[in-house]
Amino acid sequence: MTNRIACRLVSCMTKVFPDQAPAPLTTGLTVLQGEVAAVQVAVSATALDGTFAPVTLEATPAAAVFSVGLVPTTLAQRPDAQGDPGYLRTAPGLFPDPLVPGELRAYLGQWRAAWLRLDTGNLAPGQHQWRIALRVGDEPTPQQVLSVSLTVAAAAATTPALWHSEWFHVDGLASYYHLTPYEPALWDRIAEFVDFAVDRCGINTLLTPLFTPPLDTAVKTRRLNVQLVTVSEPEPGRFTFDWANLRRWCQLCRRLGVVNLELPPLFTQWGAEHAPNIQVDGAWRFGWATAATDPDYVAFLHQLLPAARVVMAEYGYDNDHLFYHVSDEPGPAQMAQFAAARASVADLFAGCRVMDAVSSLALHDSGLVPLPVVADDALEPFLAAGVSPLWAYYCCSQGDRVPNRFFALPSFRNRVMGTLLFVFDIPGFLHWGYNFYSAALSTHPVDPYAVTDAAGFFPGGDPFLVYPGPNGPETSIRNEVQMMGLADLAALQQLAGRIGRPAVLAMVEQAAGQPLSFTAYPQNAAWLDQLHAAVARRLAQG
């Protein structure tokens, strides 16, 4: 018996499951010069000599080739999203997501995929044939050669005008790689993941742990201590600071292209009731036993923040390049407590950008949250009220008809966010999980290749965007598709700078065939491809 492989080109917007034959790609690709073009090759063995057949792909023009890995999730859809008919699957199972180096394998009766990623910066404008030869095992000649038309528009891609933060969890790297903060090997890992965040994920705003961020932490527990600032208290109420690690962090961020630093919330999440867990002289000085407005803690902040600002400004991170938080996700019931905590440090915020995730318009209208970061299922009242500026976010709770990047959602639900950010003129996007490799509330570390849902608490794909490979960060389908959405945003912004925003909005609505909202947009990827191609052609006209 000889190995025989069925194969087909598949859109990068299609998720290839092992038990379902994917629809073949039927259209060409159009990109701006310098954008990434991507396509998948799906394979399934029809005859095998052994358990599987190794498959090698050779692309012309050459491309980076990744095997699409399968990872499990026990929670594909939250119960409160069961009214949404748009999920690909709702049962626990294996989902395609990590893009990993290594051979593609063809199995009998299963479909597996490779992802090809082509940087078009060195391709001349015009039409190209992207050819992909498929070799099986050690066979000297390809079994098949696939081809897709690739049009590179005669206009250069730009980066989007967008503040973009995906929360960076130093403790996730330390725990997964079995390292101690801040030993040299951990600094190496931090550099790898920051570099990838900027270069491959479009992140320009980085959560910076002056002290361990009081985020996703079970009450009366502590996350691994990753505070950058070493604090001493030579006499009661007077604090001194060793800035060596903060300086190293700022140097690293500046070298790798981080534009803004985002400081951790000054008070605990979901209510601003307590101080974060902070060590002084090597012992826990502040934390769950410390009220938010405790005079000692307030005095500590009044010494820490002004001095830290001076240090960060030396590296270009002045108040125009810093974002501050009071407390994450306060609700109306916590308004009085949030107001009291904020008032205790309000004098520190003069000339600063202060933002927090909120879903209640009342918190903004009260003046407590001047820069709201709003869940995409709560945006409509803010938009109707004309709140500007504001950021958008989604997390585990936003799963009913709105954009998100869960495994079980079709990829267009991820990509469409870029277009919606343009349509509603939203200048910032935040997600809580660049690399949260823990169970919910940080109760224990997890292996993200085996546990993708924070130990069953969040839908698979919510806690992290990149995987911790043996040689550094590994990308995901979700990251590559999100970058396509950011490319859509950048192209729309570039065109609006030439022909005006109203004309581009008309193009978007024509492509969509309907007015858009965060819950109403075409339920397919084709319109996004067509819109991007139309924008690219218009930009190429000059």
Side-chain angles (χ1 to χ4, degrees):
M1 183 185 297
T2 57
N3 296 316
R4 292 296 171 194
I5 308 299
C7 69
R8 61 185 60 170
L9 290 174
V10 176
S11 168
C12 60
M13 298 297 291
T14 298
K15 295 186 177 181
V16 179
F17 291 89
D19 59 351
Q20 181 180 355
L25 179 67
T26 58
T27 60
L29 311 177
T30 300
V31 296
L32 293 170
Q33 190 174 33
E35 287 183 339
V36 170
V39 71
Q40 293 182 94
V41 175
V43 299
S44 180
T46 56
L48 279 179
D49 288 332
T51 305
F52 62 85
V55 177
T56 303
L57 301 176
E58 299 170 356
T60 307
V65 180
F66 304 90
S67 179
V68 180
L70 299 171
V71 288
T73 188
T74 58
L75 182 64
Q77 181 187 48
R78 283 168 54 107
D80 57 9
Q82 289 181 355
D84 183 340
Y87 281 68
L88 298 172
R89 301 190 173 194
T90 57
L94 293 174
F95 289 79
D97 189 57
L99 303 184
V100 298
E103 68 181 12
L104 174 63
R105 293 178 174 181
Y107 290 89
L108 192 67
Q110 298 184 34
W111 285 92
R112 298 293 178 90
W115 184 287
L116 285 81
R117 184 181 190 277
L118 172 60
D119 186 337
T120 64
N122 293 323
L123 292 184
Q127 190 167 4
H128 304 261
Q129 286 299 311
W130 193 7
R131 293 183 172 84
I132 303 163
L134 182 147
R135 298 179 188 272
V136 180
D138 56 3
E139 294 177 359
T141 58
Q143 277 200 12
Q144 296 192 53
V145 177
L146 307 172
S147 181
V148 60
S149 173
L150 170 62
T151 301
V152 177
T158 57
T159 56
L162 181 76
W163 288 310
H164 181 194
S165 174
E166 309 259 346
W167 279 348
F168 191 96
H169 300 276
V170 174
D171 59 343
L173 300 183
S175 297
Y176 184 81
Y177 290 109
H178 305 291
L179 301 170
T180 301
Y182 279 92
E183 66 171 289
L186 180 58
W187 279 112
D188 292 341
R189 290 299 186 188
I190 291 170
E192 291 171 349
F193 277 74
V194 172
D195 187 30
F196 197 88
V198 174
D199 185 56
R200 292 288 302 277
C201 306
I203 294 168
N204 54 29
T205 302
L206 198 72
L207 183 64
T208 296
L210 291 181
F211 44 80
T212 304
L215 299 166
D216 301 286
T217 308
V219 174
K220 297 183 180 180
T221 69
R222 301 186 185 103
R223 293 176 66 158
L224 177 67
N225 180 32
V226 294
Q227 74 181 56
L228 286 167
V229 181
T230 301
V231 185
S232 299
E233 190 175 10
E235 58 186 68
R238 184 173 71 84
F239 300 94
T240 61
F241 308 101
D242 181 340
W243 306 109
N245 283 332
L246 179 60
R247 290 184 182 280
R248 185 166 181 175
W249 180 278
C250 291
Q251 288 172 339
L252 182 152
C253 289
R254 178 57 60 201
R255 173 171 58 85
L256 296 177
V258 175
V259 178
N260 308 293
L261 300 184
E262 179 182 0
L263 303 187
L266 303 183
F267 307 96
T268 52
Q269 198 171 22
W270 306 310
E273 294 184 357
H274 304 280
N277 293 310
I278 297 174
Q279 286 194 352
V280 177
D281 291 318
W284 295 107
R285 177 67 165 81
F286 303 110
W288 293 106
T290 310
T293 56
D294 179 276
D296 281 355
Y297 179 59
V298 173
F300 167 78
L301 290 178
H302 278 76
Q303 294 171 61
L304 171 70
L305 289 183
R309 275 200 287 258
V310 172
V311 173
M312 292 183 287
E314 293 176 13
Y315 301 91
Y317 298 113
D318 55 15
N319 274 343
D320 291 335
H321 297 88
L322 293 174
F323 289 97
Y324 296 80
H325 293 280
V326 176
S327 173
D328 189 52
E329 295 185 326
Q334 294 92 37
M335 186 181 294
Q337 175 61 34
F338 184 90
R342 192 184 195 285
S344 71
V345 292
D347 57 312
L348 295 174
F349 290 152
C352 300
R353 296 180 295 187
V354 185
M355 66 180 186
D356 279 303
V358 294
S359 297
S360 167
L361 183 60
L363 278 158
H364 170 266
D365 289 347
S366 69
L368 294 174
V369 184
L371 177 54
V373 183
V374 185
D376 64 358
D377 61 352
L379 275 165
E380 289 192 10
F382 288 80
L383 296 172
V387 175
S388 179
L390 58 75
W391 287 29
Y393 82 95
Y394 52 67
C395 64
C396 60
S397 299
Q398 285 67 52
D400 187 0
R401 295 177 174 81
V402 292
N404 211 313
R405 61 191 193 209
F406 302 152
F407 291 161
L409 289 174
S411 284
F412 68 79
R413 291 272 290 266
N414 176 351
R415 181 179 172 183
V416 74
M417 191 66 170
T419 298
L420 292 174
L421 291 173
F422 173 80
V423 169
F424 293 99
D425 201 18
I426 295 174
F429 176 73
L430 183 148
H431 193 279
W432 75 282
Y434 175 65
N435 62 322
F436 184 78
Y437 305 143
S438 297
L441 298 178
S442 305
T443 57
H444 60 273
V446 301
D447 175 358
Y449 292 95
V451 180
T452 62
D453 47 23
F457 282 84
F458 308 139
D462 181 53
F464 53 86
L465 185 63
V466 300
Y467 292 82
N471 299 311
E474 293 180 341
T475 190
S476 64
I477 287 176
R478 292 168 299 119
N479 179 52
E480 299 300 315
V481 171
Q482 179 169 279
M483 287 298 286
M484 294 178 68
L486 296 182
D488 292 338
L489 171 61
L492 292 166
Q493 290 174 335
Q494 184 181 174
L495 186 57
R498 295 192 186 182
I499 67 173
R501 182 173 167 80
V504 178
L505 288 171
M507 286 182 65
V508 173
E509 186 163 329
Q510 182 179 17
Q514 65 182 78
L516 297 179
S517 75
F518 280 85
T519 56
Y521 45 85
Q523 297 298 293
N524 61 75
W527 80 279
L528 292 169
D529 289 331
Q530 293 162 5
L531 174 61
H532 193 79
V535 170
R537 287 192 296 268
R538 183 65 181 83
L539 285 169
Q541 295 173 9

